[in-house]
Amino acid sequence: MTTHLFCPISVGPLSLPHRVAMAPLTRSRAGQPGNIPTDMNTTYYRQRASAALIISEATQISPQGQGYAWTPGIHTEAQIAGWRAVADAVHAEGGRMFLQLWHVGRVSHPMFQPANALPVAPSALPVPGKTFVTDPDGNGIWADIPVPQALTAAGVAEIVADYRQAARNAMAAGMDGVEIHAGNGYLLDQFINSASNHRQDNYGGSIENRARFLLEVVDAVSAEIGAERVAVRLTPMGRFMGMGDTTPEDTFGYIVGRLNEWPLAYLHLVEPAIVGTVRDEHVDPRWDAIIRQLRKTYQGVLMLAGGYDGESAERAIADGRADIIAFGRPFIGNPDLPERLRGNYPLNTPDAAAFFGGGAQGYVDYPVLSQDQAA
Ligand code: FNR
């Protein structure tokens, strides 16, 4: 029984026919050169248009915001045109789509940066992780991340303006709204977490100061396109890329409390058992409590993601833990995931080797139910 999962819900100006959303999924297949969405990317999203809401793969707001090879952007005319084809295809199938706005901050490499500069961060601290770059022959390889440069306050203001412009571009591309990626150890998360933010100005130190950058972005983007088309994704207690906070209940409690000041489309939290693609070996035992705490604090629509199947998603909606569940890996392997969950049909297993980079294989070739049944 999936009675609750298949009840409609309003999100900002949108009416969602059910609560099975598609989580943001980086697939590293943007057209080169230029990081421009292609016809194949359009096909991939069109195939998944039966989602209650598609959240696009993370999409860089500027050249400085890129950290991995072959990820799409939303800062050039060609990228806007590419995304317009995607949004039009999803809408033609009756779907709805938000674009996820991304600035990686320190999780980058000089090869992506304007003038090959060092990537930017709240503080010049070493980064425990690797990023995905290309070698001189254009093949993808993993590379160490250099110690980044600390942003100036003027640099922060420029990035706030880049978010605002990117949101405007997303709307010009025909998207229904944007999700601000403030999790997974990327720029806004780097400012939030005490482990990565050692600043002594207005953007560091107290919780209020560490939250300031995100709230300025929310304010600017909301002023540009209307708060009811803006969402925020957070990963409280995530440890990916060296994240960690001394008082996560207080830090994220404060942020989520402040987010009530805007009539946002929704708040998206990732259950910390899975961050990025990695099952976190050091899951904080307080994670369940913090999700419940933030659910109580937040007054709007709450989306949760991370390790859900049909049964646990149904339970989460029925129990009031969440209003919408976003599915990541299950949507990779099952373009018609809502229909499969509703009918309790078997699911295809996604091919993890094809998650990042490559062509059509493991991307646009997963069968829908009728093809399964015919086979
Ligand atoms: C992700 N995830 C992710 N999250 C995000 O906010 N932006 C992104 O671009 C990506 N990219 C991405 C790529 C791939 C291949 C995976 C598997 C995951 C995290 C994703 O949205 C989701 O939170 C997790 O996958 C957990 O949900 P599932 O997969 O257990 O349903």
Side-chain angles (χ1 to χ4, degrees), residues 23-27 57-58 100 181 184 233 270 274 276-277 305-308 326-330 332 355-356:
L25 293 161
T26 291
R27 303 303 308 276
E57 63 206 278
Q100 193 186 44
H181 191 353
N184 286 4
R233 191 175 219 218
V270 185
I274 310 265
T277 55
Y308 279 94
F327 292 80
R329 289 159 300 172
I332 293 179
F355 279 0
F356 303 107

